[in-house]
Amino acid sequence: MKIIGKNTITGLLGLAGGLASWPFLELVLWKQGAFPSYLLFFLTATVIPGLFIAMFLGASEGVIGRNWSRAVKGALIGLVSGTIGGLVGGLSGQILLSRILVWFPGRGDVLETAARTLAWALVGIFIGLSDGIRSVSLRKIGVGALGGMVGGSLGGFLLEMLSRSFASSIPRLAGLVLMGLMIGVFYSLLDRKYSFGVLRVLNGSQAGKKYRINQKKMDLGSGNRTIIFNDYEGVDDKEIELRVDRGQITVIDDKMNSKLFVNDKATIKTTLKYGDVIKAGTVKMLLEAE
């Protein structure tokens, strides 16, 4: 899938997460009087968007790569991460609000909006962690947290402003959709900004598809790999490995079976530069800058 397609799909999945959370949030708001305390109600109302948006975005890499086991694993991790984020964000927002109302009395609406925006920023951080946790990549965890924080704060602010300005449920729907969209978009844009380059497939069924190099260690091969080539011959599981060290990308033939070529020369290990053509089995890829 082309990079622009990946950015778009990630944004749309975030949007879908916000949309999916809306009826459940409305149910919670309708049943507000049934909650034993306002804090429990507030935490529930914060958790619901967090877990849905994180679940949809956690599945994004699997959806984009059409690897459904990876999508399910990412969604489950996102569900847990989003739930924790909702609890942490909601509780932190309430604590902050209770303190700043003491420090600055008489400005409740403004300060409550600020506290809620901070809460959504914290929720966004946890939403952004899910794919980095799934892939066990500190780099992706950091990029995801940053993208989630930016998207969560901006989207959360819009959600709060729309909810306060209009009494009906439709503005909340628009706010949730915008928040999910922004978290997905900023996560994807920062993932692109801090990537090391892309591999563009030159032949076969995946010709034109681009894979972003956004981790310091990535596997290429068949099976449940980082980059999957099940539909090409001669590409076994854990066949080829990409490593990034100090900005230098190295390709390694882990099995040392002479199936790796760089610019038509057989190799076991080569440091790559942009413009190099890598061949593994029958698949050919071109290394490009973003």
Side-chain angles (χ1 to χ4, degrees):
M1 182 168 297
K2 296 180 180 180
I3 295 300
I4 186 64
K6 179 173 182 177
N7 292 339
T8 301
I9 287 178
T10 304
L12 289 176
L13 284 171
L15 182 153
L19 179 63
S21 70
W22 177 63
F24 296 94
L25 181 60
E26 291 301 311
L27 178 62
V28 169
L29 293 174
W30 181 49
K31 293 290 187 179
Q32 180 177 351
F35 285 84
S37 68
Y38 178 78
L39 178 61
L40 183 58
F41 159 74
F42 182 79
L43 289 177
T44 303
T46 308
V47 164
I48 286 175
L51 72 87
F52 272 99
I53 295 171
M55 185 168 62
F56 276 73
L57 287 178
S60 62
E61 287 291 331
V63 171
I64 290 167
R66 298 181 183 179
N67 184 319
W68 305 119
S69 63
R70 182 187 295 179
V72 170
K73 180 180 179 181
L76 292 175
I77 293 173
L79 188 150
V80 174
S81 181
T83 300
I84 295 172
L87 291 172
V88 172
L91 188 59
S92 300
Q94 278 299 95
I95 293 173
L96 176 64
L97 180 62
S98 66
R99 298 313 305 161
I100 59 181
L101 286 176
V102 173
W103 298 332
F104 305 99
R107 303 196 60 185
D109 288 346
V110 174
L111 295 177
E112 185 175 354
T113 299
R116 293 278 292 173
T117 299
L118 175 62
W120 290 122
L122 291 172
V123 173
I125 288 174
F126 279 84
I127 290 174
L129 296 179
S130 54
D131 194 55
I133 294 172
R134 179 198 59 77
S135 57
V136 196
S137 169
L138 290 176
R139 181 181 179 84
K140 293 201 75 173
I141 287 174
V143 170
L146 180 59
M149 180 184 70
V150 175
S153 58
L154 291 176
F157 176 74
L158 289 175
L159 171 61
E160 292 301 317
M161 294 304 294
L162 287 170
S163 298
R164 289 179 179 278
S165 301
F166 303 94
S168 71
S169 63
I170 299 302
R172 281 194 295 272
L173 170 61
L176 288 168
V177 165
L178 285 172
M179 184 171 69
L181 176 65
M182 285 191 175
I183 292 175
V185 166
F186 277 99
Y187 170 82
S188 187
L189 289 176
L190 286 171
D191 183 48
R192 176 178 180 176
K193 177 177 176 60
Y194 291 105
S195 73
F196 301 103
V198 293
L199 287 174
R200 178 162 59 89
V201 182
L202 300 176
N203 66 328
S205 60
Q206 297 190 43
K209 187 172 183 178
K210 293 184 178 181
Y211 290 97
R212 185 175 289 156
I213 304 173
N214 53 13
Q215 299 171 223
K216 291 194 173 181
K217 180 180 177 182
M218 300 178 70
D219 295 324
L220 286 69
S222 59
N224 192 20
R225 298 295 91 212
T226 310
I227 301 178
I228 302 167
F229 294 114
N230 286 330
D231 42 356
Y232 289 82
E233 296 180 1
V235 187
D236 299 328
D237 195 22
K238 294 186 178 180
E239 179 78 22
I240 306 298
E241 183 180 287
L242 289 174
R243 293 181 186 173
V244 182
D245 183 26
R246 298 178 182 178
Q248 295 290 316
I249 305 171
T250 302
V251 63
I252 302 167
D253 182 352
D254 279 340
K255 295 187 176 180
M256 296 183 290
N257 55 12
S258 301
K259 289 185 178 180
L260 174 64
F261 294 81
V262 175
N263 299 326
D264 294 325
K265 294 181 180 180
T267 183
I268 300 299
K269 181 178 180 180
T270 297
T271 298
L272 301 172
K273 61 184 183 298
Y274 298 128
D276 283 346
V277 176
I278 302 101
K279 180 176 180 292
T282 58
V283 62
K284 288 185 178 181
M285 299 158 284
L286 174 66
L287 177 63
E288 300 177 323
E290 279 280 15

